[in-house]
Amino acid sequence: MPDLSSKDPDWWRQAVVYQVYPRSFADADGDGLGDLRGITERLGHLAALGVDALWLSPFYPSELADGGYDVADYRDVDPRLGTLDDFDALAAEAHRLGLKVIVDLVPNHTSHRHPWFREALAAAPGSRARDRYVFRDGRGPDGQFPPTDWQSVFGGSAWRQVPDGQWYLHLFTPEQPDLDWNDDEVRADFRTTLRFWSDRGVDGFRVDVAHALTKDLTDPLRDLGAPELSSEKALLTLPPGTHPFFDRDEVHAIYRDWRTIFDAYTPPRMAVAEAWVPGVRRALYARPDELGQAFNFEYLQAGWDAIELRAVITESLETARIAGASATWVLSNHDVIRHASRLSLPPGTDENAWLLGNGHEPAVDRAAGLRRARAAALLMLALPGSSYVYQGEELGLPEVADLPPEALQDPVWEQTGRTRKGRDGCRVPLPWTAEGPSFGFGAGGSWLPQPPWFAGYAVAAQDGAEGSTLELYRAALKLRRKLLQGESLTWVPDAPDGVVHFTRSDGWRCIANLSDTDVRLPPGEVLLSSAPLTDGRVGPDTTVWLG
């Protein structure tokens, strides 16, 4: 069995990592915003759950123009969330409980409030201060048009003009100016940041937008030719490595440099890339001499279909094997609709339209969605590799699709002219108790409104309750530790239509019935089931582990 709690350098290869979105996890000071002390006070929940590590989404000083991913200081804590002493206390308590700590790193862009960008705005065009960012003159007789047709991921032009007439690049919000990674000072400063957090005991890093750091900034900058090619979709149409600002081959030199820093620690620091690129390109980020692991978004985006999932799993395992990495699996995170809702939407549903309609068209059956979410969780946790669990999915939380417009804070809402509702529905603060103004989140309410039905999903409502989703996760994670052997699986060749059936290296099996009819349970000892079994049959949307 892999050693996931000591100084084993490979602890991350089959770990279960729990993502904490700090503003929405727990609020210790009662201001309505989650904080580091709140997380520390609730670490017992993660230890009891049985996860191996927690990943903290950004907690750095930030204007919160993009939920903390606009960083004003990479080596400090936002005062609203605590202090560096609070971070040290969190890390110490996590390590005491046997939990590793992973922090988010946001290297593609800073906040516009970062001292470097303030300096750049105060400096003249062509100055050294502007070299750290991507500033260019505009097009047209008076430079009144953006330098290129590049579009922001959040909608609209990726360029913003400053008073002296130049334009700066922002692939996300205007409050998130892109850094120029051709600049040696930028590279040196991030090396310092990696050592700063590693020296404080951080065990690893999640690298935000890992595929966007290097860009083709050769003048004249080239247009994409069509605005829609500014999205990740362009990676499927342009030759690999040739997109002007996504997934360029030069980015890998940065991560090979970082690996020398990671490997200077005992055990080496791990890293995982957020890289929205096709699988064969994703493998490059996961190579042992680079970040070592990369998120598998094909799995997250796969439908609830046995043929599709089997193909994605097979390809993902092969991609990881070629890279020398372990596979990663994720069902939900802070950027997507929670899978208890997403997986129950009919195939082909326009998810943004569903959100704009407050989740009413089509209507989602919460009970059916929960059943499918539980089955999906057991399937994911049976796969070889690392599973990343988003806070609240162990409670079976669905998306809060009906947040009113006045409550929305995701910049996507305003930047798209209120045509995309954004990601707030998966970021609503967690319910810890079944009563109180914020269901135990904190004494001062919550920064996003929690619906009344959150009470039934609260930790206190599920703790010790037989058959609850929380207890299912606890049982699965405890059993998973005992069953982990090897990093491969074997498909059972005669699986019925609509069934995902495989064996792991020491003989235990996972059977997931994704069809709409019962299937007969093969012989063996039932170790765990996501739903009750009747007369030796596995019902629809049910996963079973067999010994």
Side-chain angles (χ1 to χ4, degrees):
M1 183 184 305
D3 182 353
L4 300 175
S5 60
S6 73
K7 294 186 176 182
D8 176 10
D10 292 329
W11 65 267
W12 50 272
R13 293 188 70 92
Q14 296 213 64
V16 176
V17 181
Y18 185 101
Q19 181 189 358
V20 170
Y21 192 70
R23 291 192 297 154
S24 299
F25 191 70
D27 173 21
D29 62 12
D31 66 353
L33 197 67
D35 47 45
L36 296 188
R37 286 199 299 115
I39 297 169
T40 304
E41 292 173 1
R42 296 289 190 177
L43 285 177
H45 172 71
L46 303 190
L49 188 60
V51 301
D52 305 299
L54 66 149
W55 148 32
L56 294 168
S57 291
F59 50 84
Y60 312 110
S62 172
E63 182 186 9
L64 300 180
D66 182 24
Y69 284 88
D70 47 314
V71 179
D73 186 341
Y74 291 92
R75 298 190 286 272
D76 205 352
V77 174
D78 191 304
R80 290 167 293 185
L81 273 64
T83 65
L84 282 171
D85 286 342
D86 290 329
F87 177 86
D88 292 341
L90 187 160
E93 178 63 6
H95 290 149
R96 187 188 71 81
L97 293 170
L99 299 168
K100 303 288 189 180
V101 178
I102 299 167
V103 300
D104 229 311
L105 190 68
V106 189
N108 178 68
H109 45 261
T110 70
S111 165
H112 69 152
R113 294 186 175 184
H114 191 285
W116 279 358
F117 195 71
R118 292 176 182 270
E119 182 185 355
L121 291 182
S127 63
R128 173 72 190 91
R130 292 199 175 183
D131 288 345
R132 303 186 190 107
Y133 294 90
V134 184
F135 278 87
R136 289 293 187 277
D137 293 331
R139 295 185 297 189
D142 301 311
Q144 70 269 41
F145 300 115
T148 69
D149 64 359
W150 300 352
Q151 298 289 295
S152 162
V153 172
F154 291 160
S157 174
W159 297 93
R160 170 65 64 93
Q161 193 170 31
V162 299
D164 59 36
Q166 279 205 311
W167 300 71
Y168 69 86
L169 179 67
H170 62 88
L171 290 182
F172 294 88
T173 71
E175 294 83 7
Q176 294 168 289
D178 279 50
L179 289 163
D180 185 347
W181 274 84
N182 291 316
D183 188 87
D184 289 339
E185 190 174 357
V186 170
R187 298 193 181 214
D189 194 71
F190 273 88
R191 293 187 196 104
T192 299
T193 294
L194 293 173
R195 294 188 180 98
F196 178 87
W197 293 109
S198 295
D199 290 344
R200 297 191 96 89
V202 161
D203 301 285
F205 299 88
R206 178 263 190 187
V207 183
D208 184 64
V209 200
H211 60 302
L213 273 59
T214 57
K215 302 168 177 69
D216 181 4
L217 299 177
T218 306
D219 289 323
L221 300 181
R222 59 188 171 100
D223 284 337
L224 276 166
E228 64 269 16
L229 290 182
S230 295
S231 72
E232 280 81 351
K233 294 178 182 177
L235 297 174
L236 303 177
T237 59
L238 296 174
T242 66
H243 192 288
F245 51 82
F246 280 148
D247 191 38
R248 297 190 59 78
D249 292 334
E250 309 93 89
V251 77
H252 298 288
I254 295 171
Y255 300 132
R256 285 192 290 273
D257 177 56
W258 287 10
R259 175 48 58 188
T260 64
I261 296 173
F262 299 151
D263 287 350
Y265 291 86
T266 303
R269 289 349 186 199
M270 63 78 70
V272 58
E274 183 210 24
W276 290 86
V277 299
V280 66
R281 297 289 294 182
R282 185 180 68 243
L284 303 179
Y285 297 82
R287 290 177 291 194
D289 65 340
E290 294 193 29
L291 296 177
Q293 204 171 59
F295 282 131
N296 178 358
F297 293 115
E298 285 90 345
Y299 186 74
L300 183 150
Q301 295 172 322
W304 190 241
D305 177 84
I307 294 175
E308 183 179 359
L309 278 172
R310 178 168 170 161
V312 168
I313 291 167
T314 299
E315 182 179 358
S316 300
L317 290 172
E318 179 62 12
T319 297
R321 186 194 65 79
I322 292 171
S326 61
T328 64
W329 315 103
V330 60
L331 292 167
S332 288
N333 61 36
H334 65 292
D335 282 333
V336 299
I337 293 173
R338 286 186 176 274
H339 68 272
S341 296
R342 188 183 73 250
L343 290 179
S344 61
L345 292 172
T349 298
D350 183 329
E351 293 181 357
N352 182 57
W354 179 75
L355 287 174
L356 289 173
N358 291 329
H360 298 314
E361 184 58 43
V364 172
D365 183 331
R366 286 201 198 115
L370 179 59
R371 182 182 179 95
R372 187 167 287 185
R374 288 162 60 97
L378 278 199
L379 172 58
M380 178 182 74
L381 292 171
L383 295 170
S386 296
S387 293
Y388 286 79
V389 173
Y390 180 51
Q391 65 177 43
E393 73 172 75
E394 78 278 16
L395 306 177
L397 283 181
E399 185 82 358
V400 182
D402 58 353
L403 288 171
E406 62 271 16
L408 299 178
Q409 299 195 26
D410 190 338
V412 168
W413 175 240
E414 295 293 345
Q415 198 159 326
T416 61
R418 300 192 172 190
T419 61
R420 285 169 54 193
K421 198 167 185 179
R423 302 159 293 178
D424 289 319
C426 67
R427 301 176 178 183
V428 176
L430 295 187
W432 294 94
T433 62
E435 64 284 322
S438 68
F439 301 110
F441 170 69
S446 62
W447 66 280
L448 283 173
Q450 300 159 301
W453 49 261
F454 256 34
Y457 292 87
V459 174
Q462 298 193 46
D463 185 22
E466 184 177 357
S468 72
T469 302
L470 175 58
E471 293 300 337
L472 175 69
Y473 268 77
R474 287 173 175 171
L477 293 180
K478 182 178 181 180
L479 185 57
R480 184 180 183 274
R481 282 181 179 267
K482 298 177 181 178
L483 295 173
L484 283 182
Q485 295 290 339
E487 294 183 8
S488 63
L489 57 75
T490 300
W491 295 108
V492 174
D494 58 350
D497 291 344
V499 172
V500 175
H501 187 182
F502 58 85
T503 62
R504 291 293 302 270
S505 55
D506 60 347
W508 68 284
R509 287 176 286 168
C510 175
I511 301 160
N513 181 11
L514 282 62
S515 74
D516 56 5
T517 59
D518 290 357
V519 296
R520 183 167 296 282
L521 185 69
E525 177 190 0
V526 175
L527 303 176
L528 192 62
S529 176
S530 66
L533 307 177
T534 305
D535 298 327
R537 301 189 69 81
V538 183
D541 298 332
T542 300
T543 299
V544 181
W545 293 0
L546 283 179

